[in-house]
Amino acid sequence: MNLPASITAWCQKLLPTAACPLCHAPADKHGFCAACLADFDALRTPDTVCPLCADAGSFSGVCGHCQRNAPTIDALWASFDYSEPVSTLLHEWKYRALPQHTRSMQSLMLRHPPHFAEPMDFDWVIPVPLSRERLLTRGFNHAQELAKAAATYCSAPLLPPTGIVREHRPAQTTLDRQNRLRNLKNSFSVQFDVNNCNLLLIDDVVTTGATLNELARSLKQKGANRIYAWVLAHKQTQKS
């Protein structure tokens, strides 16, 4: 039965409509409204960031800090800069336990993927794990949810959560750069064979890169070959 257009329109108003998680306007297939998507696109990472730490600059190539202190990971890409409104959205999703925003966050990350994602043949996509205690506190691992989308995009297998065990330590956000490094030392225990594997690490936010590099160090100790990292957002910091 074909309903009159006026009745169809009235019925559609009564049906639940996906709302943009930022402004609550009607969302499109990406999970956001057009205005908020435009705000996000303004924060896309430019090609001139350092390929090893994603630090922004007027250069095109490896930054001075990474030339002096080479990171363990072979390449790092952040889809967006950690500024408003990306920072607000990530904070809400991460610390207010809002899993209903997961599909929107996955879509946002895939909106600006790294150049190395498509041609690279990854053996595993690995989300940065949480300790059991922190997982219970937050309700879900945000990196795990982003990694599901990244694994599909790269046509690579997703490492099961039991593949790497993380020892519980104080939250990295409460520490300065030097204490972050000490806090993470030997905190990851690799439980699977990565010998000669090319790996893609996934996380939501990178600040100093300490967590990603410590995880990469643990994986390379087990024989991993090349290790890349892809995060949703990068928080710029001063490096000495």
Side-chain angles (χ1 to χ4, degrees):
M1 180 178 66
N2 294 322
L3 295 174
S6 58
I7 296 179
T8 302
W10 180 78
C11 290
Q12 287 175 342
K13 290 181 180 180
L14 298 180
L15 295 174
T17 302
C20 176
L22 272 174
C23 67
H24 307 295
D28 65 5
K29 62 181 181 180
H30 300 288
F32 300 97
C33 70
C36 287
L37 277 177
D39 290 339
F40 292 138
D41 286 343
L43 296 175
R44 285 189 178 197
T45 300
D47 291 334
T48 54
V49 297
C50 173
L52 299 183
C53 70
D55 193 31
S58 58
F59 49 83
S60 180
V62 178
C63 71
H65 180 270
C66 288
Q67 291 180 32
R68 296 187 300 271
N69 307 278
T72 308
I73 55 177
D74 296 285
L76 168 64
W77 175 258
S79 295
F80 298 91
D81 180 58
Y82 187 77
S83 300
E84 295 288 354
V86 172
S87 55
T88 294
L89 186 62
L90 261 172
H91 189 275
E92 293 284 298
W93 183 52
K94 189 170 182 176
Y95 295 108
R96 291 189 60 195
L98 298 174
Q100 64 269 29
H101 293 340
T102 294
R103 291 187 65 182
S104 297
M105 304 305 293
Q106 292 170 331
S107 176
L108 186 62
M109 189 172 187
L110 296 180
R111 195 169 177 82
H112 196 32
H115 301 301
F116 57 69
E118 288 189 25
M120 190 66 192
D121 185 18
F122 296 109
D123 294 289
W124 292 101
V125 173
I126 303 175
V128 173
L130 294 176
S131 66
R132 185 169 60 90
E133 292 84 352
R134 191 143 291 124
L135 181 59
L136 290 172
T137 300
R138 292 187 183 172
F140 65 105
N141 184 355
H142 308 80
Q144 177 81 19
E145 298 306 316
L146 294 174
K148 292 176 183 177
T152 300
Y153 181 83
C154 297
S155 299
L158 178 67
L159 184 74
T162 55
I164 301 175
V165 176
R166 183 172 184 174
E167 183 179 321
H168 188 62
R169 304 280 178 86
Q172 288 290 97
T173 54
T174 65
L175 306 172
D176 59 26
R177 183 179 180 85
Q178 288 304 115
N179 283 321
R180 285 182 180 216
L181 296 174
R182 286 192 288 267
N183 184 53
L184 285 166
K185 191 71 173 178
N186 300 319
S187 58
F188 297 103
S189 177
V190 180
Q191 306 289 314
F192 72 110
D193 184 13
V194 295
N195 190 49
N196 205 34
C197 287
N198 294 317
L199 309 172
L200 176 61
L201 309 183
I202 303 294
D203 207 356
D204 52 357
V205 181
V206 62
T207 304
T208 64
T211 302
L212 289 169
N213 279 287
E214 177 60 22
L215 177 54
R217 186 187 70 82
S218 299
L219 289 163
K220 287 196 171 182
Q221 281 186 336
K222 293 291 186 176
N225 182 23
R226 295 186 66 79
I227 300 179
Y228 297 77
W230 179 9
V231 300
L232 176 56
H234 178 267
K235 187 176 183 180
Q236 300 291 331
T237 60
Q238 292 292 327
K239 298 178 180 177
S240 56

